[in-house]
Amino acid sequence: MKKTPTPPISKQDEPMSDFIQLDVFDDAGAEYAESVLLWALRMLGPLRGYTRLPRVYELDRDEILDWIGLGRVNAKKVDTGTVLKRIHRRLVQVEKARRPTLGSTALSRNVAWLGESLRLSEPERRILEFMTLVEGSALLGMISESLGPVNHVQVVKAIAVVLDLHPSVIDEALGPNGRLVSTGLLRFDHDADLKLRAKLRVLSGLQDDLLRENFEPEHILERFFSRSSTARLTR
């Protein structure tokens, strides 16, 4: 039986620029577009989330491929391996051209202030930024669903790949002695295999404050943490 060749992706589908207007597709805002794109590519490609996209509610593969810069591709007629190679090439292109992650955004400034106040390590700050956008960006959150239900080891691997950090660094940051979990900024569900944004949740209500410009960032802490009274020695 003669095998039908896979239709090629034409050159006219090549992206016109390094970064597309992601703010058109997402509610997190244009200032986070580059980070959302980079992290989405790493979930779709290296973590093979693309292979599970058809199972994710309300996600259309052709729209996602167009959104990440592959142009209009009829995913039903192009084999998975070919698309994954294109995603990989697109990822390499973005990584070479990318600017500093998150740059000077409200999220980066608020997390930096929070990190100084609560003595968060650099990996802990980056994890908090990522998980805040997983919850705050509808698009990134939906793409994270393509990773399927994950256990502890898979969460560590996924975040390590997305943030380009060693798994041992992520494992330590998410451990019981890490500041993210011990302060309650992140809630890590160890009892069940859940989708990423259900498995690892930002403290309820915190994401909105982190994504919003705060001219007095100490108010973020006041909403979630109470000041203890000055300790007094008794005789």
Side-chain angles (χ1 to χ4, degrees):
M1 183 175 178
K2 190 174 180 179
K3 186 176 180 181
T4 303
T6 300
I9 301 176
S10 65
K11 291 185 178 180
Q12 67 181 11
D13 290 329
E14 291 292 339
M16 297 298 292
S17 61
D18 288 336
F19 296 102
I20 54 180
Q21 297 297 313
L22 300 191
D23 55 306
V24 175
F25 301 91
D26 203 6
D27 56 343
E31 61 182 335
Y32 302 111
E34 293 170 12
S35 294
V36 169
L37 174 59
L38 175 63
W39 294 340
L41 283 167
R42 287 175 174 169
M43 284 192 280
L44 292 171
L47 292 172
R48 299 182 65 83
Y50 171 75
T51 63
R52 293 179 290 273
L53 274 184
R55 305 174 202 170
V56 179
Y57 180 64
E58 287 187 343
L59 274 187
D60 179 89
R61 287 185 297 176
D62 291 335
E63 291 180 353
I64 293 299
L65 294 178
D66 187 34
W67 171 73
I68 64 176
L70 297 192
R72 290 292 179 179
V73 179
N74 189 337
K76 292 181 180 179
K77 295 183 179 180
V78 180
D79 71 88
T80 299
T82 298
V83 177
L84 284 173
K85 288 178 182 178
R86 286 292 303 276
I87 291 174
H88 174 72
R89 289 201 294 271
R90 177 66 171 143
L91 175 58
V92 171
Q93 178 190 31
V94 170
E95 287 179 333
K96 286 182 178 179
R98 72 176 178 177
R99 298 141 207 178
T101 301
L102 293 177
S104 181
T105 62
L107 176 58
S108 65
R109 287 190 291 273
N110 288 331
V111 169
W113 186 90
L114 200 61
E116 289 295 324
S117 302
L118 299 178
R119 302 193 307 278
L120 301 180
S121 67
E122 182 61 26
E124 288 171 333
R125 298 182 193 194
R126 292 184 61 190
I127 292 171
L128 182 58
E129 289 172 343
F130 170 61
M131 290 309 304
T132 297
L133 275 178
V134 166
E135 293 195 21
S137 161
L139 196 51
L140 191 64
M142 284 193 291
I143 289 178
S144 76
E145 300 279 292
S146 70
L147 302 180
V150 289
N151 56 32
H152 178 97
V153 173
Q154 291 166 328
V155 167
V156 169
K157 176 186 175 182
I159 296 179
V161 169
V162 169
L163 298 181
D164 194 23
L165 293 172
H166 195 277
S168 63
V169 173
I170 303 299
D171 196 31
E172 180 179 0
L174 294 178
N177 296 323
R179 301 290 293 172
L180 289 175
V181 174
S182 65
T183 59
L185 292 176
L186 287 184
R187 308 290 175 87
F188 202 162
D189 190 325
H190 296 278
D191 297 327
D193 290 357
L194 304 168
K195 301 289 182 66
L196 181 60
R197 55 180 170 177
K199 185 77 171 174
L200 192 61
R201 297 191 65 85
V202 178
L203 179 63
S204 179
L206 179 61
Q207 82 175 43
D208 293 331
D209 281 347
L210 292 179
L211 289 170
R212 183 169 51 236
E213 192 68 61
N214 286 283
F215 297 102
E216 296 181 345
E218 60 271 16
H219 290 169
I220 297 176
L221 284 180
E222 290 176 357
R223 281 192 58 198
F224 301 99
F225 300 91
S226 59
R227 294 179 180 272
S228 58
S229 56
T230 304
R232 297 187 180 186
L233 296 176
T234 57
R235 299 181 64 181

